[in-house]
Amino acid sequence: MAPAPREFDLLIRGGCVIDGTRAPRFDADVGIAGGRIAAIGDLAGRSAARTLDAAGRIVAPGFIDSHTHDDQALLSQPDMSFKVSQGVTTVVAGNCGISIAPLRENTPLPSPLDLLDASAQARFASFADYFDELGRTPASINVAALVGHSTLRVMTMTSLDRPAEPAEIAAMSALVEEALAAGAIGMSTGTFYPPAVKASTEEIIEVGRPLTASGALYVTHMRDESDKVMAALDETFRIGRELDVPVVISHHKVQNTPNFGRSTVTLPHIRAAMQCQCVALDCYPYTAGSTMIRTDRGMLDGRVLIASSVPHPECAGRDLGAIAAEWGVAEPEAARRLQPGSAIYFLMDEADVQRILAFDETMIGSDGIPVGEKPHPRLWGTFPRVLGHYSRDVGLFPLETAVWKMTGLTARNFGLTGRGTLAVGQHADVVVFDPRTIRDTATYESPKKPAAGIDAVIVNGAITWQHGRHSGARSGQVIRRDPKAPRRTPAAATASKAAASSMPNEAAR
Ligand code: ZN
Ligand code: CU
């Protein structure tokens, strides 16, 4: 006689569920079948092909990294250990105006486009080609992707040091249309960066026109996060209003010493805008940022650590000041000689970082740059740092809120249907962690370190990380924009007045 079929592929037994809606935790078993959550509750005596003991552990939705530059890494480092080891099961790629598609073979990539992966050979002429490749060779985690405006400029313009002309705008806009048709969830810009610094507000609005009909997102690394941050916020809100689409402010911060404390002004301004339009924001839990090596004074004001350098790989992990002294040149000159590459800039105040993280609507995004030997520790440490350091040790917010900021809130803001909460019928993206021991171990000195306290990470039903090791599973999916996802309304974004009791329903929808 054939054995009776097992009811579940996997049964997570005896854990405490934090479901990603911000609701209080509750004890329950979680049954998974066919890549979906099949049951939540007391599942004692039910049969399963495999059982995972979660006594004393939290069982939560897999974390969604709202801000990444993993476009190329998903193909060249498909295990994605730097993310899955943190409990991340989905990444949003294509941020800061830079996406891997569409790009022509042999087009030289100006910084910061080269941050996606300096060694990358693969080029994709269209978003559909990129998604097809990810479908053929899946990564270990899911991806939703934005099309980058700087990438479109590189594709369509003969020179980048001016605003786009009407024909170029039309060409870029057609490429946005194509990306959306392939399933991109929106468009990103990075007007802070040389390839897009000359783009006018009007250019961005006209290029982004196709977003309107689809209700796709406008996501931005703003023109300025320093002295002119308020004007940059207003530009962002205006683009969102004129296109009538939700906007996401990427890695919100206020940098340079004279601006320390200004989050007390920016956050109320963002909250006010949320009353009349959809605005979201994310943040990484560190006082240092990381991007391409820059030579401008504002960026070199604080301590600068070189993360990677193409001409001087031996300088990775060293202070720019020490390199400049050794070479007998000023820091901007040393920085110029180290280009192209990436660096870590200590330009923020801890109080601002905490205030922005604790702001009700702030999502968690790593902004990790997956290249080089000495990346910013956020690449490996962002999510456990928020759970362990900021939630448990500093007490910035309860664990339920921390989980919500990296799951349900993010899925809602990006329209990722079927993800971000633990409920029957949802995709089985799950993380099991120990709330007493979870912490980041990646440091500036030694950044490639997996988190402590992560028991297991499950992606679409497959155990992908367990006992500190990758299982080899590659069950990640491409998440295409869901045209039927309910459109967000500004009311849904105004969490300020809503008590914790009403938010769960909002987030679960
Ligand atoms: Zn950025
Ligand atoms: Cu970024």
Side-chain angles (χ1 to χ4, degrees):
M1 220 174 78
R6 313 269 194 190
E7 196 173 353
F8 303 119
D9 302 326
L10 177 65
L11 180 56
I12 305 170
R13 230 190 257 287
C16 183
V17 171
I18 292 184
D19 70 1
T21 67
R22 217 186 193 184
R25 65 191 82 183
F26 56 93
D27 290 336
D29 307 320
V30 176
I32 293 169
R36 300 271 180 169
I37 306 292
I40 299 177
D42 182 356
L43 306 177
R46 310 274 285 269
S47 64
R50 202 165 164 183
T51 301
L52 206 152
D53 176 24
R57 303 295 193 259
I58 297 294
V59 181
F63 307 142
I64 302 169
D65 191 342
S66 62
H67 188 104
T68 84
H69 297 286
D70 291 338
D71 308 41
Q72 176 62 33
L74 289 156
L75 294 167
S76 60
Q77 306 171 61
D79 280 354
M80 296 295 290
S81 291
F82 51 88
K83 290 292 163 72
V84 77
S85 63
Q86 301 182 51
V88 171
T89 56
T90 297
V91 295
V92 178
N95 280 284
C96 299
I98 58 186
S99 59
I100 196 174
L103 278 173
R104 257 185 294 276
E105 274 327 305
N106 306 323
T107 312
L109 295 189
S111 290
L113 272 73
D114 53 357
L115 291 183
L116 291 181
D117 188 341
S119 64
Q121 299 308 317
R123 292 286 172 88
F124 301 97
S126 71
F127 239 77
D129 286 354
Y130 173 54
F131 280 170
D132 284 350
E133 183 64 17
L134 275 170
R136 266 193 301 275
T137 59
S140 289
I141 59 177
N142 308 305
V143 58
L146 303 157
V147 60
H149 165 249
S150 293
T151 294
L152 299 179
R153 289 191 120 226
V154 169
M155 266 295 266
T156 54
M157 296 177 67
T158 48
S159 73
L160 300 172
D161 56 0
R162 56 172 173 79
E165 283 158 11
E168 293 163 335
I169 289 176
M172 286 192 269
S173 190
L175 292 172
V176 171
E177 184 99 59
E178 198 178 282
L180 293 174
I185 59 168
M187 177 179 87
S188 74
T189 58
T191 39
F192 168 74
Y193 289 109
V197 92
K198 287 284 161 57
S200 64
T201 311
E202 290 71 23
E203 171 185 324
I204 295 165
I205 292 168
E206 292 313 319
V207 170
R209 283 291 173 208
L211 300 173
T212 305
S214 330
L217 293 150
Y218 171 62
V219 180
T220 181
H221 179 158
M222 300 191 300
R223 220 175 266 284
D224 194 291
E225 296 172 314
S226 184
D227 301 353
K228 300 188 194 108
V229 63
M230 296 303 282
L233 283 170
D234 286 336
E235 180 187 32
T236 301
F237 300 150
R238 180 188 155 200
I239 293 167
R241 281 197 310 271
E242 296 213 10
L243 291 173
D244 190 23
V245 296
V247 301
V248 179
I249 299 160
S250 294
H251 44 59
H252 183 48
K253 63 172 90 71
V254 283
Q255 61 188 25
N256 298 107
T257 317
N259 296 307
F260 285 4
R262 273 184 98 188
S263 59
T264 55
V265 181
T266 60
L267 292 173
H269 196 58
I270 292 169
R271 198 187 290 291
M274 283 173 170
Q275 310 301 316
C276 38
Q277 66 186 107
C278 286
V279 180
L281 71 161
D282 60 62
C283 180
Y284 49 79
Y286 297 87
T287 54
S290 180
T291 187
M292 59 186 278
I293 296 179
R294 312 242 332 183
T295 56
D296 39 324
R297 208 50 261 180
M299 292 299 285
L300 302 183
D301 277 356
R303 180 184 172 209
V304 179
L305 250 177
I306 299 302
S308 68
S309 163
V310 174
H312 294 283
E314 75 283 2
C315 288
R318 296 187 59 198
D319 272 78
L320 177 65
I323 298 167
E326 191 179 294
W327 292 353
V329 297
E331 289 189 11
E333 172 58 18
R336 195 192 57 76
R337 293 186 193 176
L338 289 159
Q339 287 175 327
S342 56
I344 297 165
Y345 304 89
F346 293 80
L347 289 172
M348 287 171 258
D349 186 43
E350 176 68 25
D352 284 315
V353 172
Q354 292 197 15
R355 195 176 294 116
I356 294 168
L357 282 174
F359 184 68
D360 236 9
E361 292 284 328
T362 303
M363 304 177 282
I364 307 303
S366 72
D367 201 9
I369 301 172
V371 294
E373 287 310 305
K374 293 283 181 179
H376 188 302
R378 66 194 184 185
L379 181 65
W380 287 78
T382 290
F383 293 83
R385 184 168 170 79
V386 169
L387 297 167
H389 178 66
Y390 281 114
S391 173
R392 180 191 58 224
D393 299 343
V394 177
L396 214 49
F397 33 67
L399 197 55
E400 284 83 348
T401 300
V403 168
W404 176 69
K405 285 172 170 286
M406 44 185 84
T407 58
L409 175 66
T410 318
R412 183 200 77 185
N413 287 342
F414 286 92
L416 309 179
T417 314
R419 316 254 176 202
T421 55
L422 273 192
V424 172
Q426 293 284 85
H427 294 277
D429 295 338
V430 183
V431 54
V432 180
F433 66 91
D434 186 337
R436 292 157 305 182
T437 61
I438 189 160
R439 71 184 178 91
D440 57 310
T441 68
T443 61
Y444 292 101
E445 292 71 33
S446 188
K448 293 174 124 178
K449 288 273 178 62
I454 301 273
D455 277 54
V457 184
I458 295 147
V459 182
N460 295 308
I463 295 184
T464 305
W465 184 269
Q466 196 177 16
H467 311 309
R469 290 217 327 270
H470 200 291
S471 73
R474 300 259 179 90
S475 63
Q477 298 176 358
V478 174
I479 304 174
R480 291 178 170 81
R481 195 179 50 80
D482 175 6
K484 293 194 291 290
R487 289 215 179 187
R488 283 179 57 220
T489 58
T494 54
S496 53
K497 291 164 290 166
S501 61
S502 69
M503 279 317 292
N505 308 323
E506 212 72 269
R509 243 182 264 143

